[in-house]
Amino acid sequence: CCTMGEEHYLELCESPVQFEHASNVNNVFFDEANKQVFAVRSGGATGVVVKGPEDKSSVAFRMDDKGEVKCIKFSIGNKILAVQRTSKSVDFINFIPDYPHTEFTQECKTKNASVLGFCWTNWNEIVFITDQGIEFYQVFPDKRSLKLLKSQSINVNWYQYCPETAVILLSTTVQGNILQPFAFRNGTMSKMSKFEIELPVVPKPAKLSLSERDIAMATIYGQLFVMYLKHHSRTANSPSAEVVLYHLPREGACKKSHVLKLNTTGKFALNIVDNLVVVHHQSSQVRYTYSVYGGLSVSVAHSPKYFNNVCVYSSSWSVFQPDIIISASEGVGDRSVVKLPPTVNLLQDKGKLMDFLLRRRDCKMVILSVCSQILEGGEKGSLPVVATVFDKLNQVYKEYLEAEQTYTVAMESGPSRGSAAQKRPVRTQAVIDQSDMYTHVLSSFTERKGVSHKFIIAVLMEYIRSLNQFQITVQHYLYELVIKTLVQHNLFYMLHQFLQYHVLSDSKPLACLLLSLESTYPPAHQLSLDMLKRLSTANDEIVEVLLSKQQVLGALRFIRSVGGHDNVSARKFLDAAQQTGDQMLFYTVFRSFQQRNQRLRGSPNFNPGEHCEEHVVHFKQLFGDQALMKPSTV
């Protein structure tokens, strides 16, 4: 159990939605699974307006008025509508094209039970929650009927549902603080380990019971948590409220994991925004935001958003997971999102700041901006910070590359019997690759005025060190950036050392860059050739380099040394020899290829396909017909 640490300021913004004018609405419902708001209006026929997070998911329709609507939800994908009007049954309407739209009804199986509500766990699977247990059904829309798959008897006070994990949480016992979760997956229902919520201690003979309003379920970093708003009595040593988080694994016991101190009292509500726990305080209209990873507590002084002069922080608010607040009486909804740029100044510890940012949804450009700001901050003591940041970024980068490689291998080997289908890893914005760093940070950093070249080179080499540490292949353009920076500052001795001790890895693009530096730094020519030779796959490039320098005999000796003389183009070498204007060099090269032809084909003559006719004419002009090699006779 840990208490969150130092408080900082974080900016949240809202996305208000007006779903229907309040005077025309009898009831408002929110469907967590489909993230839809239902505005229901009665009178003659029941009119329903459904609005989702996007306009395209908004629909409007009418139903026969058969009584007050207690609950209404679409199945996943808006295929089947379920409507509860009584405490004994649930009505269904098909929204699948070409299926009958006539309503059909399912009564709960348990005698004398009252239906508290229902949850869709799949497009055709639904759970009835009653005060005496749960009933798990499969819906057959074509037959307009339901089949009971499984049921469980248990006294129920209230329930909560988490659609991301398909887990239903039931409150049991008199005090309501013994919670029994059930998990649903592919037509099966599993009973998970029950657990107890620790209620505040109150003076005898008073007794507390656990209220549904003080419990919320949500997934944080892919893990299911039960959040409890714990209100201490005024006589307690610590009267302020707190949020207690219980980690609920699919298998194993539920354990208390975090305690978030609120330092105030009153009416609260809980949301999850981008894996952050957001606590809404109604009376002060302040939001407290917590990151349960790394112990960061963020307090937000929130000025409430108004929509048509209506604030969602009203006495009639309803809060739904993960990030919705609705003022039912006013007909206004609000969806919170995190604005990351203001968080850059939250923490002086850039390592902790990077931990925070890497776990946010839209983080890439903010992370790159932080990297630029760190480098702009000057040299004093910043290199260890730079190293820490690079390592954190490259750890995430490496994890993604490994996941991609695993996926590729699995796809190439084909599906194995009994194994689940391999999912392609999702590239989140937290993956900052070498191209991102080069484009948005390093290339502009090397061009900055007033920064010592030693610090620039140190930063570049620190990034390369970090990549090597995580066994990530360094892209050639990063080495090129190092070389250009060294040349720009005439640090040729350092360039020579980097190449001699293989600090800069061999590559063809790097060898070509070295060649281009020959006029500025003559030893670069030999350094390039040495690099190409080490590559062993760059024979053609080495030949081209030597020929371009008119080192024709050197190119010929090299191609013989690697066993490629029999396959090279004679015309390429003869062209190069002729361009030198050295007659004896041309004679030597020409005779060398005549000897090759004799050895391979039994004749010194060139084949028509070799296109050496002009070189034969040139040879005759220089040395006469008699100088041509004659075919040998056996």
Side-chain angles (χ1 to χ4, degrees), residues 435-451:
S435 176
D436 296 324
M437 189 61 66
Y438 175 85
T439 304
H440 299 283
V441 180
L442 297 178
S443 59
S444 58
F445 170 63
T446 59
E447 297 171 1
R448 281 188 57 209
K449 304 296 183 182
V451 181

mmCIF file with all atom_site columns, all heavy atoms in Angstrom, residues 435-451:
data_model
loop_
_atom_site.group_PDB
_atom_site.id
_atom_site.type_symbol
_atom_site.label_atom_id
_atom_site.label_alt_id
_atom_site.label_comp_id
_atom_site.label_asym_id
_atom_site.label_entity_id
_atom_site.label_seq_id
_atom_site.pdbx_PDB_ins_code
_atom_site.Cartn_x
_atom_site.Cartn_y
_atom_site.Cartn_z
_atom_site.occupancy
_atom_site.B_iso_or_equiv
_atom_site.pdbx_formal_charge
_atom_site.auth_seq_id
_atom_site.auth_comp_id
_atom_site.auth_asym_id
_atom_site.auth_atom_id
_atom_site.pdbx_PDB_model_num
ATOM 1   N N   . SER A 1 435 ? 14.573 7.476  -36.637 1.00 0.00 ? 435 SER A N   1
ATOM 2   C CA  . SER A 1 435 ? 14.135 8.499  -37.583 1.00 0.00 ? 435 SER A CA  1
ATOM 3   C C   . SER A 1 435 ? 13.479 9.669  -36.866 1.00 0.00 ? 435 SER A C   1
ATOM 4   O O   . SER A 1 435 ? 13.714 10.839 -37.201 1.00 0.00 ? 435 SER A O   1
ATOM 5   C CB  . SER A 1 435 ? 13.167 7.882  -38.604 1.00 0.00 ? 435 SER A CB  1
ATOM 6   O OG  . SER A 1 435 ? 12.652 8.867  -39.465 1.00 0.00 ? 435 SER A OG  1
ATOM 7   N N   . ASP A 1 436 ? 12.636 9.364  -35.859 1.00 0.00 ? 436 ASP A N   1
ATOM 8   C CA  . ASP A 1 436 ? 11.996 10.422 -35.067 1.00 0.00 ? 436 ASP A CA  1
ATOM 9   C C   . ASP A 1 436 ? 13.045 11.288 -34.385 1.00 0.00 ? 436 ASP A C   1
ATOM 10  O O   . ASP A 1 436 ? 12.983 12.527 -34.418 1.00 0.00 ? 436 ASP A O   1
ATOM 11  C CB  . ASP A 1 436 ? 11.078 9.810  -34.001 1.00 0.00 ? 436 ASP A CB  1
ATOM 12  C CG  . ASP A 1 436 ? 9.921  9.041  -34.599 1.00 0.00 ? 436 ASP A CG  1
ATOM 13  O OD1 . ASP A 1 436 ? 9.408  9.454  -35.641 1.00 0.00 ? 436 ASP A OD1 1
ATOM 14  O OD2 . ASP A 1 436 ? 9.533  7.997  -34.014 1.00 0.00 ? 436 ASP A OD2 1
ATOM 15  N N   . MET A 1 437 ? 14.004 10.624 -33.735 1.00 0.00 ? 437 MET A N   1
ATOM 16  C CA  . MET A 1 437 ? 15.020 11.355 -32.990 1.00 0.00 ? 437 MET A CA  1
ATOM 17  C C   . MET A 1 437 ? 15.909 12.187 -33.924 1.00 0.00 ? 437 MET A C   1
ATOM 18  O O   . MET A 1 437 ? 16.261 13.330 -33.617 1.00 0.00 ? 437 MET A O   1
ATOM 19  C CB  . MET A 1 437 ? 15.868 10.363 -32.191 1.00 0.00 ? 437 MET A CB  1
ATOM 20  C CG  . MET A 1 437 ? 16.820 11.008 -31.202 1.00 0.00 ? 437 MET A CG  1
ATOM 21  S SD  . MET A 1 437 ? 15.992 12.004 -29.932 1.00 0.00 ? 437 MET A SD  1
ATOM 22  C CE  . MET A 1 437 ? 15.109 10.730 -29.052 1.00 0.00 ? 437 MET A CE  1
ATOM 23  N N   . TYR A 1 438 ? 16.252 11.610 -35.060 1.00 0.00 ? 438 TYR A N   1
ATOM 24  C CA  . TYR A 1 438 ? 17.099 12.319 -36.032 1.00 0.00 ? 438 TYR A CA  1
ATOM 25  C C   . TYR A 1 438 ? 16.376 13.541 -36.590 1.00 0.00 ? 438 TYR A C   1
ATOM 26  O O   . TYR A 1 438 ? 16.931 14.648 -36.632 1.00 0.00 ? 438 TYR A O   1
ATOM 27  C CB  . TYR A 1 438 ? 17.475 11.365 -37.162 1.00 0.00 ? 438 TYR A CB  1
ATOM 28  C CG  . TYR A 1 438 ? 18.247 12.019 -38.301 1.00 0.00 ? 438 TYR A CG  1
ATOM 29  C CD1 . TYR A 1 438 ? 19.633 12.166 -38.242 1.00 0.00 ? 438 TYR A CD1 1
ATOM 30  C CD2 . TYR A 1 438 ? 17.579 12.489 -39.433 1.00 0.00 ? 438 TYR A CD2 1
ATOM 31  C CE1 . TYR A 1 438 ? 20.332 12.764 -39.276 1.00 0.00 ? 438 TYR A CE1 1
ATOM 32  C CE2 . TYR A 1 438 ? 18.276 13.097 -40.473 1.00 0.00 ? 438 TYR A CE2 1
ATOM 33  C CZ  . TYR A 1 438 ? 19.636 13.228 -40.387 1.00 0.00 ? 438 TYR A CZ  1
ATOM 34  O OH  . TYR A 1 438 ? 20.330 13.830 -41.409 1.00 0.00 ? 438 TYR A OH  1
ATOM 35  N N   . THR A 1 439 ? 15.126 13.344 -37.009 1.00 0.00 ? 439 THR A N   1
ATOM 36  C CA  . THR A 1 439 ? 14.377 14.407 -37.687 1.00 0.00 ? 439 THR A CA  1
ATOM 37  C C   . THR A 1 439 ? 14.018 15.559 -36.760 1.00 0.00 ? 439 THR A C   1
ATOM 38  O O   . THR A 1 439 ? 14.159 16.731 -37.123 1.00 0.00 ? 439 THR A O   1
ATOM 39  C CB  . THR A 1 439 ? 13.096 13.824 -38.320 1.00 0.00 ? 439 THR A CB  1
ATOM 40  O OG1 . THR A 1 439 ? 13.445 12.755 -39.199 1.00 0.00 ? 439 THR A OG1 1
ATOM 41  C CG2 . THR A 1 439 ? 12.322 14.888 -39.069 1.00 0.00 ? 439 THR A CG2 1
ATOM 42  N N   . HIS A 1 440 ? 13.533 15.216 -35.550 1.00 0.00 ? 440 HIS A N   1
ATOM 43  C CA  . HIS A 1 440 ? 12.957 16.237 -34.674 1.00 0.00 ? 440 HIS A CA  1
ATOM 44  C C   . HIS A 1 440 ? 13.901 16.762 -33.596 1.00 0.00 ? 440 HIS A C   1
ATOM 45  O O   . HIS A 1 440 ? 13.607 17.799 -32.992 1.00 0.00 ? 440 HIS A O   1
ATOM 46  C CB  . HIS A 1 440 ? 11.692 15.690 -34.007 1.00 0.00 ? 440 HIS A CB  1
ATOM 47  C CG  . HIS A 1 440 ? 10.613 15.311 -34.968 1.00 0.00 ? 440 HIS A CG  1
ATOM 48  N ND1 . HIS A 1 440 ? 9.810  16.232 -35.583 1.00 0.00 ? 440 HIS A ND1 1
ATOM 49  C CD2 . HIS A 1 440 ? 10.217 14.092 -35.432 1.00 0.00 ? 440 HIS A CD2 1
ATOM 50  C CE1 . HIS A 1 440 ? 8.956  15.608 -36.385 1.00 0.00 ? 440 HIS A CE1 1
ATOM 51  N NE2 . HIS A 1 440 ? 9.188  14.317 -36.314 1.00 0.00 ? 440 HIS A NE2 1
ATOM 52  N N   . VAL A 1 441 ? 15.009 16.080 -33.354 1.00 0.00 ? 441 VAL A N   1
ATOM 53  C CA  . VAL A 1 441 ? 15.872 16.490 -32.243 1.00 0.00 ? 441 VAL A CA  1
ATOM 54  C C   . VAL A 1 441 ? 17.329 16.670 -32.684 1.00 0.00 ? 441 VAL A C   1
ATOM 55  O O   . VAL A 1 441 ? 17.873 17.773 -32.649 1.00 0.00 ? 441 VAL A O   1
ATOM 56  C CB  . VAL A 1 441 ? 15.796 15.473 -31.079 1.00 0.00 ? 441 VAL A CB  1
ATOM 57  C CG1 . VAL A 1 441 ? 16.714 15.917 -29.933 1.00 0.00 ? 441 VAL A CG1 1
ATOM 58  C CG2 . VAL A 1 441 ? 14.366 15.332 -30.582 1.00 0.00 ? 441 VAL A CG2 1
ATOM 59  N N   . LEU A 1 442 ? 17.969 15.596 -33.132 1.00 0.00 ? 442 LEU A N   1
ATOM 60  C CA  . LEU A 1 442 ? 19.424 15.596 -33.287 1.00 0.00 ? 442 LEU A CA  1
ATOM 61  C C   . LEU A 1 442 ? 19.920 16.452 -34.453 1.00 0.00 ? 442 LEU A C   1
ATOM 62  O O   . LEU A 1 442 ? 20.920 17.157 -34.328 1.00 0.00 ? 442 LEU A O   1
ATOM 63  C CB  . LEU A 1 442 ? 19.927 14.158 -33.434 1.00 0.00 ? 442 LEU A CB  1
ATOM 64  C CG  . LEU A 1 442 ? 19.676 13.258 -32.216 1.00 0.00 ? 442 LEU A CG  1
ATOM 65  C CD1 . LEU A 1 442 ? 20.171 11.852 -32.485 1.00 0.00 ? 442 LEU A CD1 1
ATOM 66  C CD2 . LEU A 1 442 ? 20.330 13.826 -30.964 1.00 0.00 ? 442 LEU A CD2 1
ATOM 67  N N   . SER A 1 443 ? 19.240 16.382 -35.603 1.00 0.00 ? 443 SER A N   1
ATOM 68  C CA  . SER A 1 443 ? 19.730 17.135 -36.767 1.00 0.00 ? 443 SER A CA  1
ATOM 69  C C   . SER A 1 443 ? 19.719 18.629 -36.501 1.00 0.00 ? 443 SER A C   1
ATOM 70  O O   . SER A 1 443 ? 20.670 19.343 -36.855 1.00 0.00 ? 443 SER A O   1
ATOM 71  C CB  . SER A 1 443 ? 18.901 16.798 -38.011 1.00 0.00 ? 443 SER A CB  1
ATOM 72  O OG  . SER A 1 443 ? 17.531 17.108 -37.795 1.00 0.00 ? 443 SER A OG  1
ATOM 73  N N   . SER A 1 444 ? 18.663 19.134 -35.880 1.00 0.00 ? 444 SER A N   1
ATOM 74  C CA  . SER A 1 444 ? 18.613 20.573 -35.568 1.00 0.00 ? 444 SER A CA  1
ATOM 75  C C   . SER A 1 444 ? 19.564 20.917 -34.432 1.00 0.00 ? 444 SER A C   1
ATOM 76  O O   . SER A 1 444 ? 20.138 22.006 -34.399 1.00 0.00 ? 444 SER A O   1
ATOM 77  C CB  . SER A 1 444 ? 17.182 20.984 -35.198 1.00 0.00 ? 444 SER A CB  1
ATOM 78  O OG  . SER A 1 444 ? 16.715 20.228 -34.094 1.00 0.00 ? 444 SER A OG  1
ATOM 79  N N   . PHE A 1 445 ? 19.774 19.973 -33.505 1.00 0.00 ? 445 PHE A N   1
ATOM 80  C CA  . PHE A 1 445 ? 20.681 20.221 -32.388 1.00 0.00 ? 445 PHE A CA  1
ATOM 81  C C   . PHE A 1 445 ? 22.110 20.438 -32.862 1.00 0.00 ? 445 PHE A C   1
ATOM 82  O O   . PHE A 1 445 ? 22.842 21.295 -32.343 1.00 0.00 ? 445 PHE A O   1
ATOM 83  C CB  . PHE A 1 445 ? 20.608 19.041 -31.415 1.00 0.00 ? 445 PHE A CB  1
ATOM 84  C CG  . PHE A 1 445 ? 21.655 19.053 -30.337 1.00 0.00 ? 445 PHE A CG  1
ATOM 85  C CD1 . PHE A 1 445 ? 21.699 20.070 -29.394 1.00 0.00 ? 445 PHE A CD1 1
ATOM 86  C CD2 . PHE A 1 445 ? 22.616 18.047 -30.269 1.00 0.00 ? 445 PHE A CD2 1
ATOM 87  C CE1 . PHE A 1 445 ? 22.671 20.091 -28.402 1.00 0.00 ? 445 PHE A CE1 1
ATOM 88  C CE2 . PHE A 1 445 ? 23.583 18.052 -29.282 1.00 0.00 ? 445 PHE A CE2 1
ATOM 89  C CZ  . PHE A 1 445 ? 23.620 19.079 -28.351 1.00 0.00 ? 445 PHE A CZ  1
ATOM 90  N N   . THR A 1 446 ? 22.539 19.661 -33.870 1.00 0.00 ? 446 THR A N   1
ATOM 91  C CA  . THR A 1 446 ? 23.913 19.789 -34.372 1.00 0.00 ? 446 THR A CA  1
ATOM 92  C C   . THR A 1 446 ? 24.151 21.126 -35.068 1.00 0.00 ? 446 THR A C   1
ATOM 93  O O   . THR A 1 446 ? 25.304 21.525 -35.260 1.00 0.00 ? 446 THR A O   1
ATOM 94  C CB  . THR A 1 446 ? 24.241 18.646 -35.356 1.00 0.00 ? 446 THR A CB  1
ATOM 95  O OG1 . THR A 1 446 ? 23.321 18.682 -36.453 1.00 0.00 ? 446 THR A OG1 1
ATOM 96  C CG2 . THR A 1 446 ? 24.169 17.299 -34.667 1.00 0.00 ? 446 THR A CG2 1
ATOM 97  N N   . GLU A 1 447 ? 23.092 21.806 -35.470 1.00 0.00 ? 447 GLU A N   1
ATOM 98  C CA  . GLU A 1 447 ? 23.224 23.079 -36.183 1.00 0.00 ? 447 GLU A CA  1
ATOM 99  C C   . GLU A 1 447 ? 23.073 24.287 -35.270 1.00 0.00 ? 447 GLU A C   1
ATOM 100 O O   . GLU A 1 447 ? 23.135 25.433 -35.731 1.00 0.00 ? 447 GLU A O   1
ATOM 101 C CB  . GLU A 1 447 ? 22.173 23.152 -37.298 1.00 0.00 ? 447 GLU A CB  1
ATOM 102 C CG  . GLU A 1 447 ? 22.357 22.072 -38.373 1.00 0.00 ? 447 GLU A CG  1
ATOM 103 C CD  . GLU A 1 447 ? 21.191 22.028 -39.337 1.00 0.00 ? 447 GLU A CD  1
ATOM 104 O OE1 . GLU A 1 447 ? 20.257 22.854 -39.183 1.00 0.00 ? 447 GLU A OE1 1
ATOM 105 O OE2 . GLU A 1 447 ? 21.194 21.165 -40.238 1.00 0.00 ? 447 GLU A OE2 1
ATOM 106 N N   . ARG A 1 448 ? 22.858 24.028 -33.974 1.00 0.00 ? 448 ARG A N   1
ATOM 107 C CA  . ARG A 1 448 ? 22.637 25.142 -33.044 1.00 0.00 ? 448 ARG A CA  1
ATOM 108 C C   . ARG A 1 448 ? 23.910 25.932 -32.823 1.00 0.00 ? 448 ARG A C   1
ATOM 109 O O   . ARG A 1 448 ? 25.008 25.384 -32.722 1.00 0.00 ? 448 ARG A O   1
ATOM 110 C CB  . ARG A 1 448 ? 22.128 24.614 -31.702 1.00 0.00 ? 448 ARG A CB  1
ATOM 111 C CG  . ARG A 1 448 ? 20.650 24.260 -31.696 1.00 0.00 ? 448 ARG A CG  1
ATOM 112 C CD  . ARG A 1 448 ? 20.198 23.929 -30.300 1.00 0.00 ? 448 ARG A CD  1
ATOM 113 N NE  . ARG A 1 448 ? 20.467 25.037 -29.394 1.00 0.00 ? 448 ARG A NE  1
ATOM 114 C CZ  . ARG A 1 448 ? 20.709 24.866 -28.095 1.00 0.00 ? 448 ARG A CZ  1
ATOM 115 N NH1 . ARG A 1 448 ? 20.748 23.649 -27.589 1.00 0.00 ? 448 ARG A NH1 1
ATOM 116 N NH2 . ARG A 1 448 ? 20.923 25.912 -27.331 1.00 0.00 ? 448 ARG A NH2 1
ATOM 117 N N   . LYS A 1 449 ? 23.746 27.246 -32.726 1.00 0.00 ? 449 LYS A N   1
ATOM 118 C CA  . LYS A 1 449 ? 24.868 28.140 -32.470 1.00 0.00 ? 449 LYS A CA  1
ATOM 119 C C   . LYS A 1 449 ? 25.102 28.217 -30.957 1.00 0.00 ? 449 LYS A C   1
ATOM 120 O O   . LYS A 1 449 ? 24.194 28.107 -30.147 1.00 0.00 ? 449 LYS A O   1
ATOM 121 C CB  . LYS A 1 449 ? 24.574 29.537 -33.021 1.00 0.00 ? 449 LYS A CB  1
ATOM 122 C CG  . LYS A 1 449 ? 24.226 29.561 -34.507 1.00 0.00 ? 449 LYS A CG  1
ATOM 123 C CD  . LYS A 1 449 ? 25.379 29.103 -35.384 1.00 0.00 ? 449 LYS A CD  1
ATOM 124 C CE  . LYS A 1 449 ? 25.016 29.210 -36.856 1.00 0.00 ? 449 LYS A CE  1
ATOM 125 N NZ  . LYS A 1 449 ? 26.100 28.717 -37.733 1.00 0.00 ? 449 LYS A NZ  1
ATOM 126 N N   . GLY A 1 450 ? 26.345 28.412 -30.606 1.00 0.00 ? 450 GLY A N   1
ATOM 127 C CA  . GLY A 1 450 ? 26.676 28.629 -29.209 1.00 0.00 ? 450 GLY A CA  1
ATOM 128 C C   . GLY A 1 450 ? 26.831 27.367 -28.377 1.00 0.00 ? 450 GLY A C   1
ATOM 129 O O   . GLY A 1 450 ? 27.012 27.456 -27.157 1.00 0.00 ? 450 GLY A O   1
ATOM 130 N N   . VAL A 1 451 ? 26.750 26.207 -28.997 1.00 0.00 ? 451 VAL A N   1
ATOM 131 C CA  . VAL A 1 451 ? 26.931 24.947 -28.280 1.00 0.00 ? 451 VAL A CA  1
ATOM 132 C C   . VAL A 1 451 ? 28.282 24.370 -28.679 1.00 0.00 ? 451 VAL A C   1
ATOM 133 O O   . VAL A 1 451 ? 28.620 24.308 -29.867 1.00 0.00 ? 451 VAL A O   1
ATOM 134 C CB  . VAL A 1 451 ? 25.812 23.935 -28.613 1.00 0.00 ? 451 VAL A CB  1
ATOM 135 C CG1 . VAL A 1 451 ? 26.004 22.632 -27.832 1.00 0.00 ? 451 VAL A CG1 1
ATOM 136 C CG2 . VAL A 1 451 ? 24.447 24.540 -28.314 1.00 0.00 ? 451 VAL A CG2 1
#
